[in-house]
Amino acid sequence: DVLAEESIEVGDRDVVSPQPDHELTSGDKIAVRFARPVALTVDGRPSTHWVTATSVQGALAQIGAVYADARLSTSRGARIDRRGTSIDVVTPKRISFAIAGAKPVVREVPALTVREALAGIGVVVDDLDKVRPGLDTPVADGDRLVLTDIDVRERRVSGEVIDAPVREVRDDAMDAGQREVVTKGVDGRRDVRYRIVLRNGERIGRTVIAQRVTRRPVAEVVRVGTRETAPNFEGGSSVWDRLAQCE
């Protein structure tokens, strides 16, 4: 009767103390705790709960899951009005991280995806880096994440040596196997700019982006003998020597 007189409407989920049918006496106090909906999403799994708590911390305690080490979408001390609230919870997971070729380490981080897990341990992923599994892949307890660090740099080299090429001239006036330098080669020089690709700190590729030859190399000319010499069997005394002489 008192609640009706005060225009206080209560529903089946609201809590009234003492009970609505309790007979009152002078000086009695009536406590009303209104129920409010909490849309709880834990690691992507949604559920709805009705609580009478007026704070996020109290609501989680009434639901029966405090999620002490979890990441919440709102402050634990945030107030909840009669319209209720939505709370996203990301629970911690034990994940093995192998970063840039280093020895794998196990860390416990609250994360839903590979991207969030890496961010949780302070790893910044560049556009060129390779991550296995992909950044948007959901993570679970016991997963293993591998990041390959790919880095591209530019390097300038001044006065780089250009090896003198060697030009061979066949000469049948010289015995095969003989070589004679006719013109000595001279190395050249160039200023060059390289594009260098590193994987986990080790160079895996180098490409010339631009170059300027400051001194052209002079080819070295070498005469190479091609004349075949007949075998000399004179003086041999073995069976094979005698057979060769007969032939």
Side-chain angles (χ1 to χ4, degrees):
D1 293 340
V2 173
L3 295 176
E5 187 174 333
E6 296 294 329
S7 299
I8 299 175
E9 296 181 4
V10 294
D12 295 337
R13 295 187 177 92
D14 299 329
V15 176
V16 180
S17 179
Q19 294 294 324
D21 58 358
H22 179 76
E23 292 187 3
L24 298 177
T25 59
S26 180
D28 282 351
K29 294 182 179 180
I30 301 174
V32 179
R33 298 180 66 86
F34 293 107
R36 54 210 71 200
V38 173
L40 188 67
T41 302
V42 181
D43 289 340
R45 295 184 296 273
S47 60
T48 301
H49 306 267
W50 286 86
V51 300
T52 58
T54 57
S55 70
V56 170
Q57 183 73 22
L60 293 176
Q62 286 187 2
I63 293 171
V66 179
Y67 301 112
D69 298 325
R71 188 182 76 224
L72 305 185
S73 60
T74 185
S75 167
R76 293 178 181 271
R79 304 294 295 175
I80 304 176
D81 60 25
R82 292 188 63 180
R83 293 172 298 179
T85 189
S86 297
I87 306 173
D88 294 332
V89 179
V90 179
T91 61
K93 302 163 186 68
R94 287 180 60 82
I95 298 174
S96 173
F97 295 91
I99 307 298
K103 182 180 179 181
V105 295
V106 177
R107 295 287 185 268
E108 193 170 82
V109 292
L112 286 179
T113 63
V114 171
R115 188 190 307 274
E116 292 181 2
L118 291 171
I121 62 170
V123 174
V124 178
V125 182
D126 295 332
D127 293 338
L128 296 176
D129 295 338
K130 307 297 182 183
V131 181
R132 190 176 72 248
L135 290 174
D136 296 324
T137 304
V139 292
D141 237 21
D143 281 354
R144 184 173 188 267
L145 310 185
V146 180
L147 181 143
T148 303
D149 179 48
I150 304 298
D151 192 15
V152 177
R153 303 176 183 175
E154 287 192 8
R155 182 187 176 193
R156 297 176 183 270
V157 180
S158 299
E160 184 181 69
V161 174
I162 305 175
D163 292 334
V166 177
R167 184 164 62 88
E168 294 183 345
V169 178
R170 297 167 64 86
D171 190 342
D172 57 7
M174 297 173 57
D175 292 341
Q178 290 184 334
R179 298 173 64 87
E180 179 183 342
V181 176
V182 178
T183 303
K184 187 173 180 57
V186 179
D187 293 337
R189 297 282 180 175
R190 69 175 180 176
D191 297 332
V192 61
R193 183 158 55 98
Y194 287 107
R195 179 179 183 268
I196 299 175
V197 180
L198 303 174
R199 180 173 61 199
N200 294 337
E202 296 184 1
R203 193 179 77 182
I204 60 172
R206 187 178 72 167
T207 306
V208 174
I209 300 175
Q211 65 172 332
R212 183 174 66 90
V213 177
T214 57
R215 186 176 72 194
R216 295 187 177 279
V218 177
E220 182 168 284
V221 180
V222 180
R223 292 171 59 204
V224 179
T226 60
R227 182 177 60 194
E228 296 294 336
T229 57
N232 182 10
F233 296 107
E234 294 181 1
S237 59
S238 68
V239 173
W240 296 111
D241 292 330
R242 291 195 297 272
L243 285 174
Q245 290 174 6
C246 291
E247 290 295 329

